[in-house]
Amino acid sequence: LSAEEGTRKKQLSNAFRNKIPEELLPFVPRRWWFVGDILILSIPKELANYTKEIGLIMLKHEQKRVRTILGKLGPTEGMIRTPSFEFLAGDPNTETIHKELGCLFKLDAAKLIFSPGNHGERERILKITNENEFIIDMFACVGNLSLPLAVHRKPVQVIATEINPVAYNYLTENIKLNKVENRMKAILGDNRILLKEFEGQADRVLLGYLDSDINQIQQGICLCKKGAIIHYHEATPSKAEIQNRPINRLKEAAKLENREIKILIKKKVKKYSPGINHLVIDVQIL
Ligand SMILES: C[S@@+](CC[C@H](N)C(=O)[O-])C[C@H]1O[C@@H](n2cnc3c(N)ncnc32)[C@H](O)[C@@H]1O
């Protein structure tokens, strides 16, 4: 820790000590993340009455880097993955541009998720993707996983489906912002219906939703050419992991589609919540 960082850390803990009762100080978050110029931090329920104070303290602490503070007050829920982020301090405009892997991701950080825990996975698939591939991102959000592939692996072709109009609008904007209109196309709607015309054509399919149903895994498999790769994501409780649930699901879906599969990699992306891991399986469809 440099002298300056040490002073800043001390200032921050003093600021909390001045505003928050002593018995609650152990609950004060020690980590936070950035989406563009917005800072997000998880606030435990014990501190529910002090969210505004925490917001103002963090805004002062990070004023050189951030414009807005958001608090994560509960789990992300539902099919379109709506986060429970509350505006705490700063500029109430929560639209920002996040820069990562040489790409610009424009999004509303209060309405959509750009998970810092998935950074390693975004980087990993960029490294293993080849040029000239035809890639289908079934759950695109604002292009989190597939935009870097279109930007850096030209001349790939990417089709990205997204059911949430808010995410789809940013996805479309990001395609333009990153000047990849000639090789990436966004489609608004349900991937179970939209992707039929691409069956048997993909080299790589991204199943980046943590709760795909068996039909969606089947759809992913249908899209694959012989030898193509699926990156299958799942939020898996530890008990289900011991029982091999993600791999069994892939096997079940492949059987229904009369395809053989070869498991290449099973990896933990991040801890999702207590007792639940976010896993990714790379599987080759034969
Ligand atoms: C967890 S996010 C994944 C974001 C990104 N792939 C990543 O890894 O960071 C899942 C996205 O899939 C979208 N989605 C869910 N069901 C869908 C469906 N049936 N068809 C198309 N998109 C869907 C949601 O709206 C959400 O934006």
Side-chain angles (χ1 to χ4, degrees), residues 134 136 159-161 185-188 190-202 219 222-224:
F134 178 46
I136 299 180
I159 297 288
T161 50
K185 187 176 173 236
I187 311 178
L188 172 66
D190 190 333
N191 53 32
R192 280 169 283 215
I193 299 156
L194 293 172
L195 291 169
K196 300 272 178 243
E197 65 175 293
F198 302 107
E199 284 178 6
Q201 295 178 34
Q219 182 60 46
C222 276
L223 294 170
C224 285

Side-chain angles (χ1 to χ4, degrees), residues 1 3 5 36 66 96 99 118-119 123 131 134-135 141 157 160 192 202 207 216 224 234-235 245 250 263 270:
L1 219 63
E5 282 171 72
V66 303
T96 188
K99 292 183 189 144
N118 295 355
H119 172 78
E123 198 168 33
E131 294 176 356
F134 178 46
I135 298 161
C141 199
Q157 290 296 324
R192 280 169 283 215
L207 271 157
Q216 282 166 322
C224 285
E234 196 185 285
R245 185 182 79 182
L250 288 165
I263 304 293
K270 64 176 187 282

Side-chain angles (χ1 to χ4, degrees), residues 15 22 26-28 58 73 86 94 99 104 112 116 153 157 165 170 181 184 199 215 219 221 232 247 274 281 286:
E22 183 154 4
F27 297 104
V28 166
M58 289 311 299
L73 296 159
E86 188 180 298
T94 49
K99 292 183 189 144
L104 303 173
L112 300 166
R153 293 290 176 264
Q157 290 296 324
Y170 284 112
E181 302 98 312
M184 181 161 179
E199 284 178 6
N215 286 326
Q219 182 60 46
I221 292 173
Y232 169 64
I247 290 172
I281 320 286
L286 302 166

